[in-house]
Amino acid sequence: MKPLSPSTQALLHAVLTPETNPSAIARWLAATDIERLEAGQFQLLPLLYQQLHGRADGHPWLPRLKGIYRRAWVANQLALKAAHAALEVLAAARLPALLIGPAALSLTVYADPATRPIGAALVLTPAAARQAAIQALTAAGWQPSPGTDSLAAPRFERWQAGHLFVKPHSATEPLQVRLCWHGLAQAPSPAWSAQWFDRAAPLANPSIQASTLDPTDQLLHSLAASPALELIPLVDGQRLITQHPIDWLRFVRLAAASRLTFMLGERLALIQGLSGLHLPDRLLTELQQTDSPGYAATAWRLDQINPWERSPWQRWRLSYALFRQQAAAQGVVPHPGNFYDYLRAQWSTDSLAATLRRGLGRIATPPPLPHGY
């Protein structure tokens, strides 16, 4: 794994330990420029504010962190409202649905839901119910974003784990929810979705009536569903492991079936090394000894590079490695026709010309620099 900077190491030491770690917080404050945060750090700031509040009241960064925490609270409230509205639509249509990902984690393993930013809430429906779910949401005023006339096409079911839907709510903030028909974007297997529904459990939180993944499946999802640069999956994983029983045999079996052992092993090793969490004997060895294809390591390594720093060749290699990952998880031959369908699904394009334009733009033009760079 790419070596962590002193700033990132200190921040992870601060938030991964069960109790507040003043020395780690002090090291992060000394090693960090608040105007130029490293990749993955911003999402951890609401949690860091909770640890600093009442312990460093005179620190000049505290008002800034308090503002970030409050914005996270407001955004999470809107995300949960959107999830509740979408789940009500699907329930009225008698379609099964689960609340998964950050929204479920914020309500189950974080004492203060505002400390775990949600983004767009993820609602999972079985792949077989995908078109019915799309029709139900559309009839209720939700629209796909970006819009596409062919969302019901088979390529979207195979090569896309889900799609963002929006609904007008206020003059400035629409409701947003991501309807998913595969639990994992990197391993889109309908068989897994069926298993996850069979093992689902009611969400242990009175603020929203829904079911979610069982802890083992939730751990797999939290560690595997995010880009390599994100740090908050490490906190999610550490809290799931310490707060819930994990079926490690199932975890290793699913990791191998998904071809995700490399990524999962890297993240679990980092959690153990930084938090001192005890993992079962031989767990990491079993993950490391499982045959892992070369494209899995390639995808993980390229995904650790800041997007705006990747060369055109690296951006192309990353897209192809992620395609190989999804194809292997489904047992699909990675021939050029499937790669074309994959790109059209990822970019929501409806023609060859549009796909070529979008592809050339993605490859030739890096994303804009974030604030502070």
Side-chain angles (χ1 to χ4, degrees):
M1 183 170 182
K2 177 183 176 182
L4 299 177
S5 70
S7 173
T8 295
Q9 285 191 48
L11 181 56
L12 287 171
H13 275 297
V15 298
L16 283 172
T17 49
E19 304 296 332
T20 298
N21 189 330
S23 63
I25 293 175
R27 290 198 305 275
W28 180 77
L29 293 172
T32 303
D33 178 357
I34 192 69
E35 300 294 343
R36 192 171 178 175
L37 293 174
E38 296 176 15
Q41 291 195 8
F42 187 82
Q43 282 190 310
L44 297 177
L45 296 189
L47 188 58
L48 188 69
Y49 167 75
Q50 185 189 53
Q51 296 195 2
L52 274 173
H53 180 56
R55 299 178 178 87
D57 288 336
H59 196 280
W61 289 3
L62 201 63
R64 178 84 63 88
L65 296 176
K66 183 177 182 180
I68 292 170
Y69 168 85
R70 286 183 169 178
R71 286 196 294 273
W73 184 89
V74 171
N76 280 9
Q77 294 300 307
L78 192 64
L80 292 173
K81 182 174 183 177
H84 179 73
L87 287 166
E88 280 193 329
V89 170
L90 297 176
R94 298 188 176 183
L95 296 171
L98 302 177
L99 182 66
I100 66 172
L105 289 164
S106 73
L107 297 174
T108 54
V109 297
Y110 288 83
D112 180 351
T115 57
R116 202 321 177 180
I118 293 174
L122 307 182
V123 173
L124 177 66
T125 192
R130 179 179 72 97
Q131 294 198 30
I134 292 171
Q135 291 171 359
L137 288 178
T138 303
W142 296 81
Q143 294 298 321
S145 178
T148 175
D149 295 332
S150 55
L151 185 57
R155 69 174 182 275
F156 280 96
E157 180 177 348
R158 166 159 286 176
W159 298 115
Q160 194 178 54
H163 203 81
L164 185 69
F165 282 76
V166 299
K167 183 178 183 180
H169 171 63
S170 68
T172 58
E173 292 287 343
L175 295 179
Q176 299 186 56
V177 69
R178 182 168 291 276
L179 177 69
C180 302
W181 41 88
H182 297 302
L184 280 177
Q186 294 193 27
S189 169
W192 283 28
S193 294
Q195 290 183 36
W196 287 5
F197 274 87
D198 291 341
R199 295 168 56 90
L203 195 66
N205 192 289
S207 64
I208 186 168
Q209 297 297 313
S211 292
T212 190
L213 305 176
D214 91 321
T216 300
D217 296 339
Q218 203 169 27
L219 176 64
L220 184 78
H221 185 273
S222 66
L223 295 180
S226 302
L229 282 171
E230 291 193 13
L231 302 176
I232 201 164
L234 303 174
V235 186
D236 296 338
Q238 184 262 353
R239 293 189 173 218
L240 280 163
I241 294 168
T242 56
Q243 296 180 27
H244 297 282
I246 303 298
D247 182 346
W248 289 110
L249 291 176
R250 172 177 169 80
F251 182 91
V252 172
R253 186 169 65 250
L254 290 180
S258 66
R259 314 296 200 278
L260 294 174
T261 52
F262 188 90
M263 171 194 286
L264 296 169
E266 290 287 314
R267 279 189 158 151
L268 285 172
L270 196 54
I271 291 172
Q272 179 173 257
L274 290 170
S275 70
L277 177 69
H278 176 71
L279 296 172
D281 294 339
R282 291 193 54 77
L283 171 65
L284 295 179
T285 302
E286 288 184 26
L287 290 172
Q288 292 165 356
Q289 290 179 346
T290 302
D291 185 28
S292 181
Y295 54 75
T298 297
W300 177 255
R301 178 174 55 82
L302 293 174
D303 209 23
Q304 290 182 300
I305 302 172
N306 287 322
W308 58 92
E309 294 177 344
R310 294 178 195 139
S311 68
W313 176 238
Q314 287 172 330
R315 290 193 287 276
W316 176 259
R317 289 183 65 203
L318 178 58
S319 291
Y320 187 68
L322 293 175
F323 159 69
R324 290 289 306 277
Q325 172 71 58
Q326 290 195 24
Q330 299 180 80
V332 173
V333 177
H335 59 65
N338 279 332
F339 187 42
Y340 171 61
D341 283 344
Y342 166 83
L343 294 177
R344 290 182 68 187
Q346 297 301 308
W347 299 337
S348 299
T349 54
D350 295 326
S351 68
L352 175 60
T355 304
L356 290 174
R357 286 195 300 271
R358 185 70 59 84
L360 289 173
R362 290 288 186 94
I363 297 302
T365 307
L369 294 177
H371 176 71
Y373 280 82

